[in-house]
Amino acid sequence: MKHKILIVLSVLLHASTSMAKITLPEIVGNDMVLQQSTQVKLWGKALPDKQIEITASWNSHTVTTLSDKKGDWEISIATPKGSYAPHTIEISDGEKVILSNILIGEVWLCSGQSNMEMPLKGYQNCPVAGGNETIATSGLWKQKIRFVNIPWTEKLTPQESCPGRWKTSVPENAQWFSAIGFHFATMLCQVLDVPIGIISCSWGGSTIEGWLPETVLKDYADIDLDKARKKQGMPCLRPMIMYNGMLHPLHRYTIKGVLWYQGESNVDKYEVYAERLATMVQLWRKEWDIQFPFYFAEIAPYRYEERLDAARFREAQYKAQFMIPSSGMICTNDLVEPYELGNIHPKNKKDVGKRFAYMALKETYGIRGFYSRGPEYKTMKIEDGKVILAFHHAEEGFSRLEGIQGFEIAGKDSIFHSAQVKVLYAERKLQLSSDKVTEPIAVRYCFHNSMTGNTGNQMELPLSLIHISEPT
């Protein structure tokens, strides 16, 4: 009997001791990157009403907080300027938890569907250009770049934590890193000369509604939340589950900005997409309590079934950047090879990552001397049966003088015909004409589901899709 009592006491003592140890969400752990020169949040669980002490190696200061009645605690700590020096953080409630190999630098969230999620190793029959070499040499960034992949996690209610641990850049890890995120990170690291942390939170095939909460979705007449609750249909197409299981659990992790590549699963909702994207950004910023920059990618040319749905969707994307403060869209209409028009996952992810980096470096970090955007429509006028177009972000002219393709012109009958394009060299403008249209009233560029563009500005950033119905 005495022996049994001792066993029970031993078990209870062990349980009590294990319960006393602080637990942390997986994303707050070894190898993480913390945002530099700011207040970052740390959080976790402990016994109720317990004093928590946090000491960071970069200043050796100790800050304290108390866990609440449920054992939850949260605290903000000041971070220094970024560097490649590894740090430790000691968290204690009487029993210490030590986090090691922590870097201080810039942290970005990458989200969306499969083209953002697409790893350096690619998908079956869908390679990433240069992926093998990039993976093989990824160890060059071992002390500079870290990634955390948030696995697909579907939940019907908002969660406070989710799986996902930080990984260093070595081949066995890098093969699973987002290709776009990796190329974005390497350029930022080279220019800013600080460590870069990427949180990859994407789900292939997901709709924008999957990244929104029930509180917003209940007002959308086209969304059936009952189907989501009953787990009907493909998980990737169900609303709110990504927000609940993957996105909301991250909102306390301090970030610098967000990259978004999504829309292929929403091309049929082009009429409402821009508004929903603006709503999503506003909600995310509120949850993070950070007015972070939000940069997103235009969906690439592809043979969608409906004749012009994708073109209209890209038009909605283009307009969204003017509805969302501190945002911008990178153009991708020149990054698809002819043989890839039936492949939803074009291989050139390096230039997508670079274009995101150009936008972030100039518009977030204030670095000058280069372009962050391609030509964007400015004005249109009619002269002698010809259309003259002027553009923003084309002050030094265009990437070519001849062979410009993709422009179409229409008269009052609204029938578009291929346009001949002349570069007005001195004026930095384009002149469009067609012998089939004597009185033009409308022009468009690459306004088709799968049309690729071949024109950009002096720095070869591509001209965005345009669709103008009246002279201005």
Side-chain angles (χ1 to χ4, degrees):
M1 184 66 178
K2 185 183 292 186
H3 180 66
K4 290 182 179 180
I5 292 173
L6 288 174
I7 292 176
V8 170
L9 289 174
S10 176
V11 170
L12 291 173
L13 180 62
H14 175 74
S16 175
T17 303
S18 62
M19 286 176 62
K21 187 174 182 180
I22 286 173
T23 59
L24 300 169
E26 287 191 6
I27 198 169
V28 179
N30 298 334
D31 303 318
M32 66 181 171
V33 179
L34 295 178
Q35 179 62 37
Q36 66 173 332
S37 304
T38 191
Q39 294 283 326
V40 303
K41 293 178 180 177
L42 301 175
W43 70 99
K45 287 185 174 293
L47 289 177
D49 303 313
K50 195 78 171 177
Q51 179 167 297
I52 313 297
E53 297 182 347
I54 293 97
T55 307
S57 64
W58 54 81
N59 59 17
S60 299
H61 292 168
T62 298
V63 293
T64 63
T65 188
L66 285 175
S67 59
D68 65 17
K69 299 295 184 183
K70 295 181 179 180
D72 296 320
W73 60 270
E74 178 185 303
I75 194 168
S76 294
I77 63 172
T79 54
K81 184 178 179 181
S83 77
Y84 301 112
H87 293 284
T88 60
I89 296 176
E90 181 182 294
I91 306 174
S92 176
D93 64 349
E95 184 175 352
K96 294 179 182 178
V97 173
I98 298 177
L99 307 180
S100 62
N101 200 26
I102 297 166
L103 296 180
I104 311 296
E106 293 293 302
V107 182
W108 284 74
L109 173 70
C110 294
S111 190
Q113 55 183 112
S114 55
N115 272 305
M116 180 61 85
E117 182 182 37
M118 190 174 186
L120 285 168
K121 70 178 299 177
Y123 298 133
Q124 184 175 357
N125 298 324
C126 298
V128 168
N132 206 49
E133 179 181 358
T134 306
I135 294 168
T137 59
S138 60
L140 295 172
W141 304 95
K142 184 177 181 180
Q143 304 301 327
K144 299 181 177 182
I145 290 175
R146 306 279 172 79
F147 265 74
V148 56
N149 287 328
I150 307 302
W152 295 357
T153 307
E154 55 175 309
K155 296 292 181 180
L156 297 179
T157 57
Q159 303 296 298
E160 291 305 314
S161 64
C162 62
R165 299 182 185 277
W166 287 93
K167 303 290 185 181
T168 59
S169 182
V170 293
E172 55 265 37
N173 295 332
Q175 62 179 320
W176 302 110
F177 292 171
S178 160
I180 290 174
F182 185 83
H183 289 298
F184 171 80
T186 57
M187 178 163 282
L188 250 62
C189 185
Q190 290 178 82
V191 177
L192 301 177
D193 196 23
V194 293
I196 306 297
I198 300 292
I199 303 172
S200 181
C201 181
S202 300
W203 187 325
S206 60
T207 64
I208 191 172
E209 293 83 10
W211 300 97
L212 287 167
E214 183 175 359
T215 54
V216 171
L217 295 170
K218 65 181 177 60
D219 296 325
Y220 293 166
D222 59 314
I223 300 301
D224 189 340
L225 291 174
D226 285 337
K227 286 185 177 180
R229 296 186 189 100
K230 295 174 182 177
K231 298 187 176 182
Q232 295 177 357
M234 296 173 62
C236 65
L237 298 178
R238 290 209 294 272
M240 77 180 172
I241 62 170
M242 296 89 189
Y243 168 85
N244 290 332
M246 300 169 65
L247 194 283
H248 180 76
L250 304 175
H251 77 277
R252 288 191 277 190
Y253 201 95
T254 306
I255 60 174
K256 183 67 173 185
V258 172
L259 308 182
W260 174 257
Y261 194 154
Q262 189 278 333
E264 297 90 343
S265 292
N266 279 101
V267 291
D268 61 332
K269 295 185 183 294
Y270 57 85
E271 293 178 331
V272 298
Y273 187 82
E275 180 183 351
R276 290 185 183 182
L277 186 64
T279 297
M280 187 193 80
V281 176
Q282 183 181 35
L283 173 79
W284 289 14
R285 285 172 174 168
K286 183 178 179 180
E287 291 215 353
W288 259 269
D289 195 22
I290 301 171
Q291 293 302 304
F292 50 69
F294 181 85
Y295 303 131
F296 58 98
E298 172 191 61
I299 61 169
Y302 176 73
R303 295 193 193 101
Y304 293 91
E305 292 182 4
E306 297 300 323
R307 191 169 66 89
L308 286 178
D309 273 10
R312 294 188 178 100
F313 182 86
R314 294 187 194 99
E315 186 177 36
Q317 287 186 295
Y318 179 80
K319 292 176 179 177
Q321 64 186 322
F322 305 108
M323 297 168 58
I324 304 170
S326 301
S327 75
M329 184 190 79
I330 64 161
C331 183
T332 63
N333 67 26
D334 62 331
L335 299 182
V336 179
E337 300 288 345
Y339 73 88
E340 293 184 300
L341 292 175
N343 179 359
I344 200 73
H345 304 116
K347 66 180 181 179
N348 188 344
K349 294 296 185 276
K350 185 173 185 178
D351 283 320
V352 178
K354 283 184 175 181
R355 289 173 187 178
F356 272 131
Y358 295 145
M359 196 164 279
L361 289 168
K362 184 172 183 179
E363 301 185 21
T364 297
Y365 298 104
I367 300 174
R368 299 291 180 258
F370 58 91
Y371 279 74
S372 60
R373 298 171 185 249
E376 296 177 353
Y377 169 76
K378 183 178 182 182
T379 61
M380 164 182 162
K381 66 178 179 177
I382 311 297
E383 291 183 354
D384 301 324
K386 298 178 175 62
V387 177
I388 310 298
L389 295 177
F391 298 88
H392 298 290
H393 316 300
E395 290 78 4
E396 283 82 35
F398 302 92
S399 58
R400 61 195 306 152
L401 293 173
E402 298 178 354
I404 294 177
Q405 300 173 355
F407 278 99
E408 296 173 300
I409 190 169
K412 293 180 181 179
D413 60 3
S414 298
I415 298 174
F416 281 90
H417 301 273
S418 181
Q420 289 77 51
V421 183
K422 178 182 179 180
V423 177
L424 303 181
Y425 185 85
E427 296 94 332
R428 276 80 162 175
K429 297 178 180 179
L430 298 180
Q431 176 184 282
L432 278 59
S433 62
S434 171
D435 56 9
K436 297 179 181 178
V437 182
T438 57
E439 297 181 10
I441 66 166
V443 297
R444 64 190 190 185
Y445 175 71
C446 285
F447 202 78
H448 294 271
N449 288 351
S450 59
M451 180 177 282
T452 56
N454 71 345
T455 304
N457 58 21
Q458 177 77 2
M459 296 298 182
E460 298 189 296
L461 291 182
L463 171 65
S464 297
L465 167 148
I466 60 172
H467 184 209
I468 299 95
S469 298
E470 297 179 0
T472 57

